[in-house]
Amino acid sequence: MVEGIIFVIGLFWLSTALGVGWDARKHGGSFLKWFVLVGITGIFGLMWYAIAHNNARTPTTDSDRTLLVSSEVVDVETGEESAVQLTVHTDSTSYAVERFEQKCRDEGYQPTEKPKIEVQ
């Protein structure tokens, strides 16, 4: 019985640390830093992240920016050139580029130039 409760608490603790790390990465922060911090300090690290994240947001908006990422690409199989665009809702340009590159890989494209980013 006690082992089950400890297991559930540990699972919750781990999933919270993963979630905070993922959210930090999504917003341009360090996954590893926040994962370790919340993993060690638990609920106190979660509160610290919430305060730090809330203070880091711009006061003029309550939501992420919408970024349009685009680039010329070449189809890996056929060699055909075309353009690919992706709209990403995030504060982090590096995350937007990462998502764009993942989309290109998933669809069999190789970017031929550095992706362009426009704020929508």
Side-chain angles (χ1 to χ4, degrees), residues 22-44:
W22 180 259
D23 190 66
R25 181 177 156 273
K26 182 176 122 181
H27 291 94
S30 169
F31 172 87
L32 185 61
K33 170 187 157 186
W34 286 106
F35 173 76
V36 170
L37 189 70
V38 173
I40 292 172
T41 62
I43 191 73
F44 300 108

Side-chain angles (χ1 to χ4, degrees), residues 11-24 31 34-35 38-39:
L11 191 60
F12 177 75
W13 199 322
L14 178 64
S15 63
T16 301
L18 285 169
V20 169
W22 180 259
D23 190 66
F31 172 87
W34 286 106
F35 173 76
V38 173

Side-chain angles (χ1 to χ4, degrees), residues 23-73:
D23 190 66
R25 181 177 156 273
K26 182 176 122 181
H27 291 94
S30 169
F31 172 87
L32 185 61
K33 170 187 157 186
W34 286 106
F35 173 76
V36 170
L37 189 70
V38 173
I40 292 172
T41 62
I43 191 73
F44 300 108
L46 178 61
M47 291 187 311
W48 186 7
Y49 178 74
I51 292 167
H53 181 67
N54 192 34
N55 289 341
R57 293 183 74 82
T58 57
T60 58
T61 182
D62 290 330
S63 63
D64 296 332
R65 295 182 295 175
T66 301
L67 303 177
L68 176 67
V69 186
S70 61
S71 177
E72 295 295 319
V73 296

Side-chain angles (χ1 to χ4, degrees), residues 4 6 8 10 13 24 42 50-51 68 73 76 88 96 111 113 118:
I6 291 173
V8 169
W13 199 322
I51 292 167
L68 176 67
V73 296
V76 176
V88 182
E113 60 185 28
E118 297 176 31

